[in-house]
Amino acid sequence: MQYQTFPGVKGGSKSLDKLAALRLPDLHQKRFLDVGCNEGFFCGYALFEGANSVTGIDQSQEAIGRAALRFPEGQFLCQSWQTLPEGPFDVITFLSALHYADDQEALIHQIMQQLDPQGVLVLEISIAPGSQDAFVPVKRAIDERLFPTRIKLGSMLKDYAWKVVGHSVKQAGDPLQRYVVHVRKCRPYAYLLMDKPGTGKSTIARRLFEQTDMVTLSGDQCYYRIKQQKIACSPEIQAIVDELYTSATIDKVTKKIFEQGLHQELVAIWKEQAGFADFALDSFVPESSRADIAQAFFNSGYFPVELQWPQAHALGVPSRTPERAAAYAKYLAKTSLSEQAKCVRVTRQLPEKWRDRLCFHLDSPVNNQLIVEDNTVRFSGWAGWLDETDRELQLVVSQGTKREAFNFSRERKDVLATLFPDQNYPSPYWQQSPCGFSVRYTLDEQSDEPVQLSLQADNHCVPIATIQLTVSRGEQAMSDSYQQRAKRWLKRCLTQS
């Protein structure tokens, strides 16, 4: 099945949307690793951004072969994550695959060992609901997997500096929301108190570092508790939080509170939560208002100490703009493929008279999909009856005088759940017979005739698609429809940002 999306090749993953959601750091002259790279979409982006070295690993030889054809400058290895390439890497991506690991926490530690001390692991992960430090079994359309709660994620990452930077793109059939988490190695702290003598440096050092029970107050958690109406506040602040608050919009909530002149009340809320004792405030405050907040705490009887560090801007969440992802889309559309690259043209052709009786879907191949191994292509998908017919179907593959028939052998619970959520089947076929097929077939490169796919039932042979092998001319022209999709995607991103 085609997963990543490229110009002219429709995939199951919204790759450009995901690229924007990941909020990747600057990759110029960096060492980049994608664990589970598929066809190398994100490796290609790293090359596009000027990375010094780009490595992708995946267990699928076919996906690795396609990646190498698309991006010959990268290094693509067919291997599992049990054997990671030797680091260190500045940026590692590991996207929506952690739930496949037998020991998820051990795998994270293994990946972090290959990360540079100043690097970042960009993790895309689904988080299960629950208030326990545990993995939760979650049923998906095709299987059941274990996903961590937010508390379990925290316990797995307790040895690192990490932050949930926002939502990722939810794919069709996802039972849980996907999140993007940036994970870094912790560094030793250096508290620098460098003002003039007599300004309280020694007293601050004693009070700050000799205490072991100091409260750390999270502004994010305060907003969450206001949303849950567990913290009392004015109707004005309650309305702002109710309207704008999500885990990805903390900055928008804070900016609106300050724009409406409600920051004094926000300080009062923080004071009440902290109590009149030493505490650390972990909350975004607009730069133009930080002096006012410090003064408000001073007027309330606190000695405010504003900690500053030169590299704070470099450690924050990078503001990658949607325009860079759009530029990458245009770059991909104009990039030449290897002269040896081959692809297939797919034409669906179910006759009109059968459309009220049969339905089908061809998962693989998709139009313009690259062929890697000896002209071998996988035909996979599903088909079934829309009327009361219950006869079993076969997939018939023919090219010239060659003709082969294949029985359907795959259970497709995902298809049944989507087509018949109420289990109201039109015929016993859907319960008695597997509706899915998956076969590998070697195309005859010498033949000018296309491959014909048909569905066989008794004496009827119904054509559903033709497959034609073509040789790339070294160009990857962006179709008009792809251009329109890219323009709509960019407009939507700009509207939301």
Side-chain angles (χ1 to χ4, degrees):
M1 179 184 297
Q2 182 77 27
Y3 184 67
Q4 293 178 339
T5 303
F6 291 92
V9 187
K10 184 179 179 181
S13 172
K14 301 172 184 176
S15 303
L16 280 174
D17 289 337
K18 183 183 290 191
L19 173 60
L22 294 179
R23 301 170 83 172
L24 294 173
D26 183 13
L27 299 177
H28 183 64
Q29 295 187 344
K30 298 295 176 61
R31 296 157 296 181
F32 178 85
L33 169 66
D34 188 2
V35 180
C37 66
N38 199 258
E39 290 188 30
F41 183 92
F42 299 100
C43 290
Y45 179 72
L47 291 166
F48 169 71
E49 286 290 289
N52 271 351
S53 69
V54 173
T55 304
I57 69 169
D58 199 283
Q59 293 189 90
S60 168
Q61 181 64 62
E62 188 170 13
I64 288 296
R66 292 177 185 169
L69 286 174
R70 292 187 186 280
F71 308 108
E73 305 94 332
Q75 180 186 32
F76 296 98
L77 307 173
C78 183
Q79 61 190 54
S80 76
W81 51 53
Q82 300 301 326
T83 307
L84 293 173
E86 191 69 20
F89 296 94
D90 300 300
V91 179
I92 301 176
T93 52
F94 188 36
L95 310 178
S96 289
L98 184 61
H99 50 274
Y100 291 111
D102 294 330
D103 189 332
Q104 298 185 27
E105 184 170 352
L107 179 56
I108 287 179
H109 295 324
Q110 183 181 353
I111 293 174
M112 291 298 291
Q113 288 177 2
Q114 304 305 322
L115 191 66
D116 185 89
Q118 300 185 37
V120 57
L121 165 64
V122 178
L123 183 67
E124 186 189 41
I125 186 174
S126 295
I127 300 176
S131 58
Q132 313 237 337
D133 183 357
F135 289 100
V136 177
V138 176
K139 289 186 177 180
R140 308 191 305 166
I142 57 175
D143 59 13
E144 182 177 279
R145 295 286 175 179
L146 295 175
F147 292 88
T149 64
R150 182 67 175 259
I151 295 175
K152 169 55 74 174
L153 178 64
S155 70
M156 287 195 297
L157 300 178
K158 61 182 174 59
D159 295 330
Y160 310 109
W162 62 280
K163 181 174 180 60
V164 177
V165 302
H167 291 169
S168 187
V169 181
K170 194 170 184 180
Q171 307 287 350
D174 279 354
L176 299 172
Q177 174 65 53
R178 299 185 185 196
Y179 294 85
V180 178
V181 185
H182 286 193
V183 188
R184 292 180 169 86
K185 292 182 177 180
C186 289
R187 302 184 190 183
Y189 291 105
Y191 294 95
L192 305 177
L193 294 87
M194 302 185 296
D195 215 328
K196 294 180 292 184
T199 56
K201 294 193 300 298
S202 299
T203 302
I204 292 170
R206 286 193 296 270
R207 292 291 300 275
L208 184 61
F209 301 121
E210 290 178 5
Q211 299 289 328
T212 59
D213 57 351
M214 187 170 63
V215 173
T216 300
L217 183 62
S218 167
D220 297 8
Q221 285 297 314
C222 285
Y223 291 141
Y224 174 77
R225 297 186 67 197
I226 290 173
K227 179 87 170 183
Q228 300 297 315
Q229 297 187 351
K230 294 181 179 179
I231 294 180
C233 63
S234 67
E236 291 80 7
I237 286 186
Q238 187 72 54
I240 293 172
V241 173
D242 289 345
E243 176 191 1
L244 297 177
Y245 173 77
T246 71
S247 60
T249 57
I250 303 299
D251 56 337
K252 293 182 180 179
V253 175
T254 305
K255 285 177 181 177
K256 191 160 186 178
I257 288 174
F258 278 81
E259 287 170 0
Q260 295 192 8
L262 301 171
H263 56 282
Q264 292 291 346
E265 183 185 351
L266 193 58
V267 170
I269 291 173
W270 288 336
K271 283 169 45 186
E272 182 178 355
Q273 297 302 305
F276 198 70
D278 293 345
F279 80 100
L281 176 65
D282 176 13
S283 182
F284 166 73
V285 172
E287 187 174 0
S288 60
S289 300
R290 290 171 190 171
D292 293 339
I293 295 299
Q295 188 63 46
F297 277 115
F298 182 81
N299 294 340
S300 300
Y302 291 89
F303 194 112
V305 179
E306 186 178 355
L307 300 178
Q308 298 177 337
W309 49 97
Q311 298 301 318
H313 66 282
L315 298 178
V317 176
S319 56
R320 301 296 295 174
T321 60
E323 288 91 337
R324 293 306 296 160
Y328 180 49
K330 293 180 180 179
Y331 162 81
L332 284 175
K334 297 177 182 179
T335 302
S336 296
L337 294 172
S338 165
E339 293 182 358
Q340 289 76 37
K342 303 171 189 174
C343 62
V344 292
R345 300 287 185 184
V346 181
T347 305
R348 288 167 173 78
Q349 53 175 199
L350 181 66
E352 180 73 30
K353 66 178 182 179
W354 287 94
R355 292 179 185 175
D356 292 334
R357 295 193 59 194
L358 278 170
C359 60
F360 82 96
H361 187 268
L362 195 61
D363 296 329
S364 176
V366 298
N367 202 30
N368 294 330
Q369 182 170 301
L370 293 174
I371 304 300
V372 179
E373 301 177 30
D374 300 327
N375 300 332
T376 299
V377 63
R378 179 178 294 280
F379 298 133
S380 65
W382 57 267
W385 300 100
L386 293 173
D387 58 17
E388 296 180 355
T389 307
D390 61 358
R391 294 189 297 274
E392 292 186 2
L393 292 168
Q394 285 185 312
L395 178 71
V396 176
V397 183
S398 57
Q399 185 178 22
T401 59
K402 183 180 178 182
R403 186 180 187 276
E404 293 185 66
F406 302 92
N407 293 326
F408 285 23
S409 59
R410 297 186 66 192
E411 300 286 346
R412 291 296 299 267
K413 294 181 180 179
D414 55 328
V415 173
L416 297 181
T418 301
L419 292 180
F420 313 110
D422 299 327
Q423 297 185 353
N424 186 19
Y425 306 110
S427 77
Y429 165 83
W430 298 96
Q431 295 171 287
Q432 296 175 357
S433 307
C435 66
F437 56 85
S438 179
V439 300
R440 295 184 69 82
Y441 188 85
T442 301
L443 304 176
D444 184 357
E445 188 176 16
Q446 305 303 320
S447 176
D448 294 331
E449 297 188 39
V451 173
Q452 177 72 60
L453 299 186
S454 304
L455 296 176
Q456 177 78 41
D458 294 340
N459 296 325
H460 297 291
C461 193
V462 183
I464 59 173
T466 58
I467 314 294
Q468 182 74 55
L469 182 66
T470 63
V471 178
S472 169
R473 301 182 184 277
E475 297 179 352
Q476 215 174 207
M478 182 164 63
S479 65
D480 292 340
S481 61
Y482 185 83
Q483 292 186 44
Q484 293 302 318
R485 288 199 303 273
K487 288 179 180 178
R488 289 196 298 269
W489 174 84
L490 177 57
K491 182 178 180 181
R492 185 172 73 252
C493 286
L494 293 175
T495 301
Q496 295 173 352
S497 61

